[in-house]
Structures are given as structure tokens and as C-alpha cells.
């Protein structure tokens, strides 16, 4: 890489402006002299991840035996659903309607969380997958009674393949801890979108519609006692409620797999980082969550 100290001030300013332009466009990896095949690197990591031992998914969610999460475990291979195959591959990308149908079919065909993860990894109907490094499916304990669903992975989540590991995730961990929850022991976490939108832009309604069948099936298969929608996009998509500051903190229900699950919306930690005064509202929501779960508080 050229030594920028050899440049005159005008050239340095121009270079800095160019780098800022790239950063704002979502390009956040430096280019090196020699080409790096990052697909090969992530394939090797994925192979290593799959060969590590994993705690089995409980047949039915158990309250007394927290299971460490897969995310990092071996997932049984399943045949991708027919429609997913139909949209994967040759020629023009599928129409949004075809992609939504394919997503519904692929999600419905999965009968375990591992199968759903595999179906998602095989799904080619959402363009976000082509720019993301990883599919971010889940984190926490599959045996947890409470499931938190956020919006979409950011840069750190995309690099690690786990939801909520960046600054927002660290605040979410502190919010959980405030009522005695711990993501690896008794909380389960996912997003409505499993692939990072480039430059962390807001996912489009079309992208949300394509990914929605997968998160709905994930909730159904996880079957939590309480669903917590974290932030406005999750609340609007899953609960159909607009105006997060008004609807947060109210107990409602979410219909999944023929049963009603208790549900609540709360403020997104990214919002709380920007508006610390709103933390007192989130604190109230956490107390309600703790109460529903019967946590000592
Ligand atoms: N914000 C989200 O909504 N989800 C993540 O995983 C990270 C940040």
C-alpha cells in the first residue's frame, strides 16, 4: 500500500475523502496487495465449525436443562425445499413474489431448528445473502423460555455469525443481566433478517417479506413462552404494531404453530445508545419481562 506521508496535503485530503466515501458505501475491509479468497476462508471456518461437537437440540423445549447453542455445532443436512432450489441459481434472480413463496416452502419444510438453519443457508432468494459474509441464525440457549428478535446483523455480527455481538449486543447483555438472564444460559436471540444489509442500511420491505417466513418458523420451532421484539422493525413485522415508543412494554400475543405465545416489544439497544434517557423505559420493559418469566426481582 502507498505511504500516505509521501503525498502532498491536497492529495492526502482527496485520499481521505475517497476512503470516507468507501466507508459510507459499506466497504469496511482494507484491500491488500495480494488477492484474498474470503469465500474459501469462510468455507474453511464453516467446515471447522461444523466438525466441533454440539449439544443436541432438545426434543421439546425444557425449562430445567439449558442447552448450549448450536450456532457452532453440526447441523444435519436436509434437502433444500423444491422452491428454494428453483430460485437458487441459473439466470435472472427470482421475482420477489417467487422468492417469498420459496421462502415459505423452505421454512415450512424444516421440522427442527437445525433443518431451518440448513434451509436458510441453502436459500438463494434474498440478495442480501450475496453481500453478507455469513448467515446469522441464532445465539443463546435453545432451551430458554424467552426469545429476543432484533432487526438485522451489523458488521460484528456478520463477521462472527452470531446476532447482537457488537455494541448493541453488549448493551442487550447488560439489559438481560439486569433481570437475571444470561444469553448462554436462559435467553435465545435471533433477527428478522439473517444477512447483514450492506453498510448497515435499513432492510427494504421486500427483503423483510422474503426473510419473514424463516423467522416465523424459527419462533414456531423454538416455541418460547415469551417473545420479545427488540426495536421497531421486529415489532412491526412480527406483531403488526407501529409506533414503538407507544406500543413498547404492553403484553400481547403472537400466534405460532397453532398456539398463542405471550409477546412484548421493547426499545432497540442501538436506539438506547443514541438516546440514553430512554433507558428508563427499557428498564420498565425488562421488569415486565422478568415478571412474566417469574424471575426473582
Ligand atoms: N442489531 C440487531 O437488530 N441485530 C443484531 O444482531 C445486531 C444489531
Amino acid at each position: 500500500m502507498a505511504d500516505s506521508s509521501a503525498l502532498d496535503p491536497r492529495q492526502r485530503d482527496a485520499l481521505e475523502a475517497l476512503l470516507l466515501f468507501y466507508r459510507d458505501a459499506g466497504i469496511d475491509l482494507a484491500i491488500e496487495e495480494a488477492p484474498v479468497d474470503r469465500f474459501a476462508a469462510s468455507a474453511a471456518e464453516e467446515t471447522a465449525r461444523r466438525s466441533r461437537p454440539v449439544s443436541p437440540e432438545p426434543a421439546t423445549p425444557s425449562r430445567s436443562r439449558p442447552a448450549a447453542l448450536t450456532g457452532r455445532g453440526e447441523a444435519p443436512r436436509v434437502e433444500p425445499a423444491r422452491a428454494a432450489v428453483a430460485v437458487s441459481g441459473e439466470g435472472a434472480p427470482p421475482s420477489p413474489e417467487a422468492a417469498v413463496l420459496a421462502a415459505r416452502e423452505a421454512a415450512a419444510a424444516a421440522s427442527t431448528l437445525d433443518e431451518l438453519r440448513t434451509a436458510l443457508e441453502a436459500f438463494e432468494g434474498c440478495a442480501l445473502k450475496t453481500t453478507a459474509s455469513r448467515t446469522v441464525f441464532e445465539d443463546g440457549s435453545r432451551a430458554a423460555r424467552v426469545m429476543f428478535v432484533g432487526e438485522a446483523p451489523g458488521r460484528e455480527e456478520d463477521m462472527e455469525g452470531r446476532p447482537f455481538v457488537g455494541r448493541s449486543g453488549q448493551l442487550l447483555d447488560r439489559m438481560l443481566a439486569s433481570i437475571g438472564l444470561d444469553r448462554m444460559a436462559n435467553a435465545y436471540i435471533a433477527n428478522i433478517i439473517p444477512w447483514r444489509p450492506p453498510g448497515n442500511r435499513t432492510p427494504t420491505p421486500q427483503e423483510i417479506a422474503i426473510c419473514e417466513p424463516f423467522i416465523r418458523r424459527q419462533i414456531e420451532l423454538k416455541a418460547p413462552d415469551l417473545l420479545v421484539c427488540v426495536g421497531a422493525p421486529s415489532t412491526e413485522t412480527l406483531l403488526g404494531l407501529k409506533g414503538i415508543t407507544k406500543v413498547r412494554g404492553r403484553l400481547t400475543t403472537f400466534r405460532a404453530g397453532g398456539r398463542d405465545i405471550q409477546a412484548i416489544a421493547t426499545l432497540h439497544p442501538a436506539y438506547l445508545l443514541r438516546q440514553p434517557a430512554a433507558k428508563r423505559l427499557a428498564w420498565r420493559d425488562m421488569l415486565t419481562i422478568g415478571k412474566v418469566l417469574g424471575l426473582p426481582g
Side-chain angles (χ1 to χ4, degrees):
M1 179 116 9
D3 176 4
S4 67
S5 63
L7 302 173
D8 70 37
R10 271 191 43 230
Q11 287 172 316
R12 257 210 308 278
D13 286 352
L15 184 59
E16 192 183 328
L18 182 64
L19 288 172
L20 289 174
F21 170 79
Y22 283 149
R23 188 201 63 187
D24 292 346
I27 296 167
D28 46 21
L29 279 180
I31 296 170
E32 295 163 37
E33 295 285 343
V36 178
D37 184 350
R38 297 198 189 277
F39 288 109
S42 48
E45 273 176 42
E46 185 62 11
T47 308
R49 185 185 68 73
R50 285 179 183 280
S51 64
R52 284 204 282 277
V54 64
S55 314
E57 183 179 336
T60 51
S62 140
R63 289 175 192 194
S64 56
R65 194 173 53 82
L69 234 221
T70 83
R72 303 139 215 142
E74 179 142 11
R77 304 297 311 174
V78 289
E79 286 302 313
R82 263 178 300 117
V85 173
V87 296
S88 71
E90 297 87 44
S95 69
E97 294 76 19
V100 171
L101 283 177
R104 282 196 197 137
E105 192 180 326
S111 55
T112 65
L113 288 168
D114 282 336
E115 285 183 8
L116 186 67
R117 179 192 191 114
T118 305
L120 200 52
E121 286 170 348
F123 184 72
E124 301 294 344
C126 181
L128 289 177
K129 190 179 181 186
T130 59
T131 49
S133 319
R134 278 161 225 277
T135 299
V136 176
F137 182 63
E138 62 182 353
D139 199 25
S141 165
R142 285 187 179 176
R145 294 178 55 211
V146 57
M147 175 170 182
F148 292 81
V149 180
E151 180 182 351
R155 183 171 174 270
E156 283 82 6
E157 290 77 18
D158 181 63
M159 289 194 301
E160 267 202 42
R162 296 192 296 137
F164 281 104
V165 293
R167 275 186 77 216
S168 295
Q170 287 155 22
L171 178 53
L172 180 63
D173 283 343
R174 293 199 293 278
M175 291 161 71
L176 298 181
S178 72
I179 53 165
L181 290 174
D182 173 282
R183 80 159 71 193
M184 293 318 290
N186 51 14
Y188 181 77
I189 305 175
N191 281 314
I192 53 169
I193 300 277
W195 299 290
R196 180 196 184 195
N200 293 351
R201 67 162 168 74
T202 303
T204 65
Q206 202 174 79
E207 288 158 354
I208 293 177
I210 293 169
C211 296
E212 192 177 337
F214 288 104
I215 184 61
R216 286 189 177 272
R217 184 70 178 141
Q218 192 169 353
I219 298 166
E220 212 171 288
L221 292 170
K222 166 67 197 80
D225 291 340
L226 177 64
L227 171 69
V228 183
C229 293
V230 182
S234 168
T235 303
E236 285 180 21
T237 304
L238 298 173
L239 304 180
L241 298 174
K242 287 193 191 263
I244 182 73
T245 47
K246 221 173 64 200
V247 302
R248 52 143 282 278
R250 293 190 204 156
L251 280 171
T252 178
T253 52
F254 176 84
R255 187 104 188 130
R259 77 177 184 108
D260 283 336
I261 293 173
Q262 288 200 92
I264 191 169
T266 191
L267 300 171
H268 197 289
Y271 173 77
L272 299 175
L273 287 169
R274 292 191 306 270
Q275 304 284 338
K279 283 185 184 169
R280 67 190 169 82
L281 301 174
W283 166 239
R284 277 195 224 153
D285 302 342
M286 294 312 292
L287 290 180
T288 307
I289 292 165
K291 209 156 141 196
V292 171
L293 295 172
L295 299 173

